[in-house]
Amino acid sequence: MVLHLALDDAPAHLEAEDSAHAALPASRDDYDFDTCSDFFFQDHDMLWLYDNKYNSPDADRAGASPVPPVLHPDNWFEGFLNVPARSAERGHRRRAASPRPGP
């Protein structure tokens, strides 16, 4: 969520004068925040949870679920089509618990 907010807020900070920023080499892709967002995120469905029309009292009174079907728990673990599924034979790694300091 933080990256979504940072990319949304970034254009407002372009006007700030920053000598360290000005010293960086220029690129034709500078300030292309839409492409950056497309690169970092497969989709933006989770942003619907922050849309007021899904969180309003009117949505609750309408009787239908205010949350889009794609965000229902049954759909949380569906894979993206461009990412190969993880092998079921791979198993799970667990990090060893670090020892707790004494009293």
Side-chain angles (χ1 to χ4, degrees), residues 24-40:
L24 295 172
S27 169
R28 65 182 173 87
D29 296 322
D30 285 350
Y31 318 117
D32 188 355
F33 301 113
D34 290 334
T35 299
C36 187
S37 181
D38 291 342
F39 178 79
F40 284 119

Side-chain angles (χ1 to χ4, degrees), residues 1 6 8 14 19 23 30 38 59 68 73 76 95-96:
M1 187 62 205
D8 191 47
L14 292 176
S19 60
D30 285 350
D38 291 342
W76 286 358
R95 178 186 285 181

Side-chain angles (χ1 to χ4, degrees), residues 9-20:
D9 198 37
H13 295 279
L14 292 176
E15 297 173 11
E17 292 191 28
D18 180 2
S19 60

